[in-house]
Amino acid sequence: DFLARAMGLSAGLAAAPRLLAAEKSTASKDTHPRAAGRARSNVLVETPDVPQLPWRVVDGAKEFHLVAEPVKRRLIPGREMQVWGYNGSCPGPTIQVNQGDRVRVVFENKLPESTSIHWHGLEIPVAMDGMPYISQPPVAPGGKFVYEFTLNQAGTFFYHSHGAMQEMMGMIGMFVIHPAKPWAPQVDHDF
């Protein structure tokens, strides 16, 4: 709690001068100096200290590769923890897509026990939901599973394991679905 609050306070203090300067500028988006001549588009969410998960288009779908594995994470100087995560990161890398995208996640399990991925809050077919023994068999150590679905909603969600204690070991990551039409007013940065 202390570390999370301290980081939140630091981020707020760092952003304060920029926010104060923005408040002093004209409130109308039509006269805002950065609005002139700029096409409206979604702004990627920046997740400091957490990587973005890269993708490539394969057969019309944005294909991501996600690996569950043991990870070392330093929370404070001189202290490393043995945790579990995805692609060498805890929390796992941020997945960013757009509303309407077809998404394919090729999942590989490098943990010493079975696991799966639950896509928290996503409206997807039950066979892709990641609930072990309910929507799919758990993925055994060394095994793979392909999740594939189309995203019909927008918002900030997350993915996580549904194995006993695995989520508490760090197996969680952000899943951001940008709206098909960018929100108004336009934002400059999203953290």
Side-chain angles (χ1 to χ4, degrees):
D1 260 359
F2 170 76
L3 290 175
R5 289 179 183 172
M7 290 187 321
L9 177 61
S10 298
L13 291 173
R18 189 180 307 170
L19 291 174
L20 290 174
E23 285 178 12
K24 291 178 184 176
S25 68
T26 307
S28 168
K29 71 175 187 172
D30 296 330
T31 59
H32 193 283
R34 285 177 276 187
R38 182 176 62 184
R40 289 177 32 86
S41 64
N42 288 309
V43 174
L44 289 180
V45 177
E46 297 177 42
T47 51
D49 296 331
V50 178
Q52 302 290 322
L53 189 61
W55 54 270
R56 61 190 179 106
V57 176
V58 177
D59 298 327
K62 286 185 178 175
E63 185 174 283
F64 296 86
H65 289 262
L66 199 59
V67 179
E69 60 190 348
V71 174
K72 288 183 182 179
R73 179 76 162 143
R74 184 180 322 155
L75 297 179
I76 58 175
R79 297 284 185 174
E80 281 193 346
M81 295 181 63
Q82 297 289 338
V83 296
W84 287 1
Y86 300 98
N87 294 47
S89 178
C90 174
T94 302
I95 297 173
Q96 296 197 54
V97 293
N98 297 311
Q99 185 177 24
D101 282 349
R102 182 79 178 164
V103 172
R104 181 180 306 117
V105 179
V106 179
F107 174 65
E108 184 178 355
N109 181 10
K110 291 188 177 180
L111 295 173
E113 64 187 47
S114 296
T115 189
S116 65
I117 300 177
H118 173 64
W119 310 97
H120 198 95
L122 299 187
E123 298 168 353
I124 57 177
V126 70
M128 297 289 112
D129 190 56
M131 292 292 295
Y133 303 109
I134 295 174
S135 62
Q136 71 171 88
V139 181
K144 290 185 178 185
F145 188 85
V146 177
Y147 296 92
E148 189 164 343
F149 41 83
T150 300
L151 300 165
N152 298 310
Q153 65 200 104
T156 301
F157 304 93
F158 63 100
Y159 61 93
H160 61 92
S161 166
H162 252 284
M165 293 302 294
Q166 292 179 358
E167 186 176 353
M168 283 50 101
M169 290 283 292
M171 299 188 69
I172 189 168
M174 287 186 60
F175 195 104
V176 180
I177 307 171
H178 297 281
K181 180 180 176 191
W183 303 113
Q186 178 73 26
V187 299
D188 293 317
H189 299 285
D190 193 356
F191 293 93

